[in-house]
Amino acid sequence: MTRFDRYMLSQFMVLFGFFALILVSIFWINKAVRMFDRLIGDGQSAWIFLEFTALTLPGVIGVVLPIAAFAGAVYVTNRLSTESELTVMQATGYSPWRMARPVLFYGVIIALMMSLLTHFLIPASLRQLEMRKVEVSRNVSAKFLTEGEFLHPAPGVTFYIREITPEGELRNVFLSDRRDAENIVTYTSTRAYLVREGGGTKLVMLDGLAQTLRREGLRLFTTHFDDFSYDITALITQDRVDLDSIRFASTPLLIRTPGVVAERNNATMPMVLHELHSRFTQPLLCIVATLIGFATLLLGGYSRFGVWRQIITAFVLLVGIKMIEGATSGPVLSSASMWPLLYLPPLVGFALSAGLLHLASNPMILRRLSGRQRRAEGAA
């Protein structure tokens, strides 16, 4: 690697770090705000909120990485072109193909980062996040031990506690169970306790009243009780910890035993292959983004209006590649034998990059095309 390559690569990495930091902050804060409302509203602690937001960070970085790579390539190329540094290098004999070498190094580095995320960090973080969600959903305290609020732990169920003493006693409890529309039951008690028994949780109410409203005949039955036990285990979400889910299954597991992963998750083989090969195509698209951003800006000469046309062109090309990626997902998810289609978007991106570099290396082609366009407009 020459001094020029190291210089360009350092510029790319500095700007990439800047854009990645800004974009990750924006995306992460946006997701964290929504998660804060949901977790804190459910009575979770600030530590749970910080843990959950940290576990979502690898996924956010995976979304932002290609965008930051493209933005860094475009910004640095534009600056080097504006300051005539690329012009000087071309005058010394560097062709666009040669100047693209540090861009390729830059794209490969970003692709390696993306590979680390897609193959290891994102599946591991999703796996841990799923486990923590299940643990939190089983946390009775977060769902029931909130005083002064009407809680809805399940559809058709309303729960209210006026006060919780330091000893754990619940004062003035209200529980309405409307899950059976024909028999609506409402419980009130002056005192209550939460008791764990046999792997479940029961609400033991003392000195209370049970009111049952039967729709048939609109009859109300009331029962006074000294103590009454109500099983609330069913009100707590008992999600299954699915450690073999396709989204957070490890890449080696998807390669070695795709059939086992599909069987455990009631998924199809095309879904497993789509997930597996997408983890390889995403890093390749990072390289494509950097090459297209660099090669497109080389096509434009000096203009006092800037290179916004080339930037828009590069953006449109990337959008087209993403549209091809979306179009290939359908056939792959329908047939397992169609998985090679997932590599079509990167191949199209590399072909476009090569075509753009070829045009930049042969400016006479662009001049002839622009001359024909002017003559056609004049004739019209």
Side-chain angles (χ1 to χ4, degrees):
M1 184 181 294
T2 63
R3 181 177 299 179
F4 173 73
D5 294 337
R6 291 194 297 270
Y7 169 72
M8 282 193 65
L9 183 59
S10 64
Q11 295 297 309
F12 283 131
M13 295 306 299
V14 169
L15 269 299
F16 163 76
F18 171 77
F19 285 115
L21 179 62
I22 297 299
L23 293 174
V24 167
S25 300
I26 294 173
F27 279 73
W28 194 35
I29 290 175
N30 184 39
K31 179 170 289 189
V33 168
R34 298 198 302 268
M35 190 173 294
F36 179 85
D37 292 337
R38 184 170 65 253
L39 291 175
I40 301 301
D42 288 342
Q44 302 299 332
S45 64
W47 174 253
I48 296 294
F49 163 72
L50 293 176
E51 182 183 4
F52 274 45
T53 52
L55 290 173
T56 62
L57 186 57
V60 173
I61 297 176
V63 173
V64 166
L65 218 58
I67 305 174
F70 173 75
V74 168
Y75 188 92
V76 173
T77 305
N78 178 38
R79 186 178 62 79
L80 295 179
S81 178
T82 303
E83 296 177 359
S84 302
E85 293 184 65
L86 293 182
T87 304
V88 171
M89 296 309 301
Q90 285 178 313
T92 60
Y94 273 51
S95 68
W97 292 95
R98 174 60 184 82
M99 289 190 295
R101 191 168 73 175
V103 182
L104 181 61
F105 292 155
Y106 166 59
V108 169
I109 293 175
I110 305 303
L112 292 176
M113 295 181 184
M114 192 69 171
S115 298
L116 180 64
L117 287 168
T118 57
H119 294 296
F120 300 102
L121 296 182
I122 292 179
S125 64
L126 290 177
R127 180 188 180 97
Q128 182 65 23
L129 183 61
E130 182 71 12
M131 294 177 63
R132 294 295 293 128
K133 282 182 178 179
V134 173
E135 293 175 3
V136 169
S137 69
R138 293 174 178 171
N139 188 345
V140 180
S141 299
K143 287 183 174 292
F144 288 88
L145 300 185
T146 304
E147 31 177 57
E149 293 185 17
F150 285 92
L151 305 176
H152 305 278
V157 177
T158 301
F159 188 71
Y160 175 83
I161 305 171
R162 185 181 65 85
E163 181 186 1
I164 303 175
T165 66
E167 293 77 18
E169 183 182 70
L170 313 182
R171 299 280 181 85
N172 296 338
V173 174
F174 171 85
L175 176 62
S176 175
D177 189 348
R178 303 177 304 282
R179 289 175 294 180
D180 184 357
E182 298 300 322
N183 296 281
I184 300 176
V185 185
T186 302
Y187 303 93
T188 56
S189 66
T190 57
R191 295 177 299 149
Y193 298 92
L194 286 177
V195 179
R196 294 185 178 273
E197 181 179 340
T201 304
K202 293 184 178 181
L203 176 67
V204 179
M205 292 177 282
L206 307 176
D207 189 17
L209 174 68
Q211 304 176 69
T212 304
L213 175 63
R214 294 183 179 177
R215 289 294 180 90
E216 184 179 356
L218 292 178
R219 303 180 65 183
L220 178 65
F221 298 87
T222 62
T223 303
H224 292 270
F225 56 83
D226 293 329
D227 60 86
F228 180 78
S229 177
Y230 185 89
D231 190 358
I232 62 174
T233 305
L235 304 183
I236 306 171
T237 304
Q238 298 293 334
D239 296 329
R240 182 173 63 93
V241 183
D242 189 2
L243 298 181
D244 295 312
S245 177
I246 296 176
R247 290 185 305 120
F248 46 85
S250 63
T251 300
L253 184 63
L254 292 176
I255 295 175
R256 292 196 307 266
T257 57
V260 174
V261 176
E263 183 179 356
R264 289 178 178 176
N265 295 275
N266 295 323
T268 62
M269 185 60 67
M271 295 172 61
V272 176
L273 293 178
H274 182 275
E275 174 68 23
L276 172 62
H277 292 283
S278 294
R279 296 183 182 183
F280 290 96
T281 58
Q282 292 304 312
L284 295 177
L285 290 176
C286 292
I287 303 177
V288 168
T290 59
L291 289 175
I292 288 182
F294 173 77
T296 306
L297 264 66
L298 288 183
L299 297 179
Y302 173 77
S303 174
R304 60 193 179 99
F305 298 105
V307 292
W308 60 269
R309 292 183 180 179
Q310 286 74 30
I311 296 176
I312 293 177
T313 301
F315 180 76
V316 170
L317 291 176
L318 289 180
V319 170
I321 292 174
K322 294 298 291 184
M323 292 178 64
I324 296 175
E325 182 184 13
T328 57
S329 296
V332 174
L333 291 174
S334 301
S335 175
S337 61
M338 301 296 288
W339 63 263
L341 283 178
L342 291 175
Y343 294 90
L344 180 61
L347 291 177
V348 172
F350 286 121
L352 284 175
S353 301
L356 293 172
L357 289 174
H358 178 70
L359 290 176
S361 301
N362 300 274
M364 293 302 298
I365 299 177
L366 291 176
R367 293 174 184 174
R368 286 197 296 266
L369 291 176
S370 61
R372 291 177 184 177
Q373 183 179 2
R374 285 194 297 268
R375 287 194 296 270
E377 292 176 353

